[in-house]
Every structure is written in C-alpha cells, then in structure tokens.
Amino acid sequence: MMKKTHENNYAIYLLTDNLLHIVYKKVPYIDLKAAEIIVKDRMQLQQGRELPVLCDIREVRNINKPARDYLALEGSQWISAIAFLIDPPITDVISSVYLETHPKNVPTRSFTKKSEALAFLGIEETNAE
C-alpha cells in the first residue's frame, strides 16, 4: 500500500491508495495566502489523481471569505468527494458556509464521526488507517 505524507504550516496530509486525509492544524486564521498553499501542496501530492478527501477541520477557528471561496472553487480540482470532520458549533458554521459555495458536482457532507465520514467516501475504515 502506498503512503505519502506532507506537512506545511496549516495542515498535515496523508495520501494512501484510495484516500487523501487532510488534518488542519490549530492556527489562529486561514486567509487566502494560506488557502493557496494548502491547495498547491495537495495538488503536488495528488499529481492529477482524482480522490475522495477527508478534511479534518476540527481545529480550524477562523477562515476568511476569500480563503473559503478559493478552497471551494480552485481547491476542488481532482476531488471526487469531500467529507468534513467537524466539531460543532464552530467548525459546523465553517463547513456549512463552504457547502453553500462549493461546486455542486463534488459530493460534500459534514460529519462528527470519522467512521461515518469514511463510509460516505466509500472507504473501509480498516483501509484508511
């Protein structure tokens, strides 16, 4: 099984054969510059392979509108589906705003349980670890 990892100031990436897992770090703020780095690093890791993405945003506290728009539009390339792991109420608000702006061709939902998020992405939990 292939496994690749990458880390920047904003997130930790774990790429396996059938899933990209992104864990956002506890940073005070995500702005457009951060969003551009997050997307660039993800695309370098994926190298054109379309994959489902598990986005753990439970540590995210604030993300501005330009960053949200960038992640929702430019940031949706090569993504077959997105599951957000959230921790209500804070990240619930962030993910619902994202859901309102993202391209509708990428199935997207928010979950509080990792097992449910993986099931939505069609991933067996045993394969994801």
Side-chain angles (χ1 to χ4, degrees):
M1 168 147 146
M2 182 211 49
K3 249 189 187 175
K4 276 167 97 176
T5 58
H6 177 74
E7 187 170 340
N8 60 32
N9 291 337
Y10 309 102
I12 298 164
Y13 305 74
L14 175 63
L15 177 69
T16 61
D17 291 324
N18 54 2
L19 177 72
L20 179 58
H21 186 179
I22 303 174
V23 179
Y24 281 78
K25 294 181 178 180
K26 192 169 200 149
V27 292
Y29 198 68
I30 292 176
D31 58 10
L32 181 58
K33 183 172 164 285
E36 287 170 349
I37 291 167
I38 290 163
V39 170
K40 178 177 70 73
D41 286 2
R42 175 184 65 76
M43 293 177 92
Q44 277 180 336
L45 205 57
Q46 276 178 268
Q47 299 177 328
R49 286 174 57 222
E50 186 162 290
L51 288 166
V53 176
L54 177 63
C55 252
D56 185 340
I57 60 168
R58 291 176 292 191
E59 295 290 348
V60 174
R61 288 298 166 258
N62 207 333
I63 177 164
N64 69 8
K65 186 171 180 351
R68 282 196 310 267
D69 292 348
Y70 185 84
L71 289 169
L73 301 169
E74 284 85 345
S76 65
Q77 266 185 295
W78 305 340
I79 295 178
S80 57
I82 301 176
F84 287 108
L85 265 183
I86 60 168
D87 191 8
I90 297 172
T91 49
D92 204 10
V93 173
I94 294 170
S95 67
S96 58
V97 170
Y98 177 90
L99 290 170
E100 289 162 19
T101 54
H102 82 289
K104 302 299 178 242
N105 59 341
V106 180
T108 308
R109 276 184 57 195
S110 297
F111 301 89
T112 53
K113 291 191 178 78
K114 185 178 178 186
S115 56
E116 291 172 7
L118 290 170
F120 168 74
L121 295 173
I123 305 292
E124 299 278 320
E125 181 130 36
T126 50
N127 298 348
E129 295 308 320

